[in-house]
Every structure is written in structure tokens, then in C-alpha cells.
Amino acid sequence: MMEEEVKKIAKPILARLQVHFDGLIPRNLFLVNPDIRLKKVNKTYGSTSVKDSISIAFKVFIFEDQYICEYFLNANGYTEHRRYNIDRDQVEMLENFEGQFGAEDFEDDDMDYEEFTRIRKHNDKVRKLLIKKGFMRK
């Protein structure tokens, strides 16, 4: 019983997270469910999403007595991987896809083979990390 109470997130924390998510994409809302639990991956779709084209996968946890939200935003192939300190209202950019907005297949006639290979390896590493965090599927 006591453990379940600890896992529930206070409404003021969720309200701050809602405000942060509301500012990510203009004219698009990501609704934060009041039943979100700590350390559980959640996914919400944007209000302007068509066939789930805009989404955020996120996880809220406590680190050094502060609420932290790590999330992965995917908006039609444009991606951002961030860590948001809810208590301090601070954002840290985390490893993210490079190249054509995170798309797996991209072409750029000006890109040499070495750069293409570097980006491909980097994106494979990021994909594995996001899968491990539960933000993407295999």
C-alpha cells in the first residue's frame, strides 16, 4: 500500500509537465493523464496528430529529490530526445537522431560516404538507446 502511494505523481508536478508539453509544438496539445506513475513509460499523441504522426513517449522519475521527465518527441520524422527537470523548469538535450530529421533512409547528394556511415552508426546507437528506455519499439 505504501509503495503504491510513492509511485503516484502529485498533481502540481503533472500540471507543470502539461505546461511544458503544451509549449513544444504550437497549436498542438499533448494531454498528460493524471494517472501517470513513476518510472513507467507513457505515450501520448498530439491533438493535431493524423494516424499517430505526432507523439511523445516519456517517463517521470525522481533523481536527487527532483522530478525528472525524459521524453522522446516524434513529429512526422522530426525528433527530439530530452530530459526535463520539472522542479527547475530546465531542459537538457539528449542523444538524438542525425540526418533527415531522424528518418531511417535519407539521401543527400553532397554527403560523402564517411559522413553517411557516421550518421548511420550514430542513428543505430540512438535507436538502441531509445528502445532500451522503452521509447521506441524494435
Side-chain angles (χ1 to χ4, degrees):
M1 181 76 176
M2 187 68 147
E3 185 178 337
E4 188 63 31
E5 291 174 356
V6 171
K7 289 184 180 181
K8 193 166 184 172
I9 301 170
K11 288 181 183 179
I13 297 297
L14 294 176
R16 283 188 240 152
L17 181 60
Q18 181 68 64
V19 169
H20 176 74
F21 282 175
D22 287 349
L24 292 176
I25 299 178
R27 299 177 304 284
N28 189 80
L29 299 176
F30 296 99
L31 297 178
V32 176
N33 187 323
D35 296 328
I36 289 171
R37 301 286 188 246
L38 287 173
K39 300 179 183 178
K40 181 179 179 285
V41 175
N42 300 272
K43 191 167 195 175
T44 186
Y45 296 97
S47 60
T48 61
S49 178
V50 177
K51 294 187 179 179
D52 304 333
S53 61
I54 303 173
S55 65
I56 295 181
F58 65 99
K59 183 187 312 186
V60 178
F61 57 93
I62 298 174
F63 179 73
E64 295 181 354
D65 294 327
Q66 296 183 18
Y67 283 91
I68 308 294
C69 176
E70 281 196 12
Y71 64 88
F72 179 68
L73 168 69
N74 186 349
N76 293 319
Y78 171 79
T79 63
E80 291 185 359
H81 181 208
R82 297 178 173 188
R83 180 177 297 127
Y84 174 56
N85 184 318
I86 300 169
D87 291 312
R88 293 185 178 174
D89 193 29
Q90 293 177 332
V91 176
E92 175 186 355
M93 301 301 279
L94 302 176
E95 271 194 303
N96 193 25
F97 293 113
E98 290 183 27
Q100 197 64 33
F101 300 114
E104 286 189 38
D105 297 314
F106 61 90
E107 292 184 31
D108 184 345
D109 294 335
D110 296 331
M111 187 183 305
D112 62 19
Y113 179 75
E114 288 79 18
E115 180 67 2
F116 175 82
T117 303
R118 183 196 67 75
I119 289 172
R120 188 64 147 180
K121 286 180 181 178
H122 172 81
N123 287 351
D124 287 345
K125 178 182 160 190
V126 170
R127 181 179 221 54
K128 287 177 185 172
L129 174 67
L130 293 171
I131 289 169
K132 182 178 178 181
K133 288 183 174 186
F135 295 159
M136 290 185 81
R137 293 184 189 162
K138 289 185 180 184

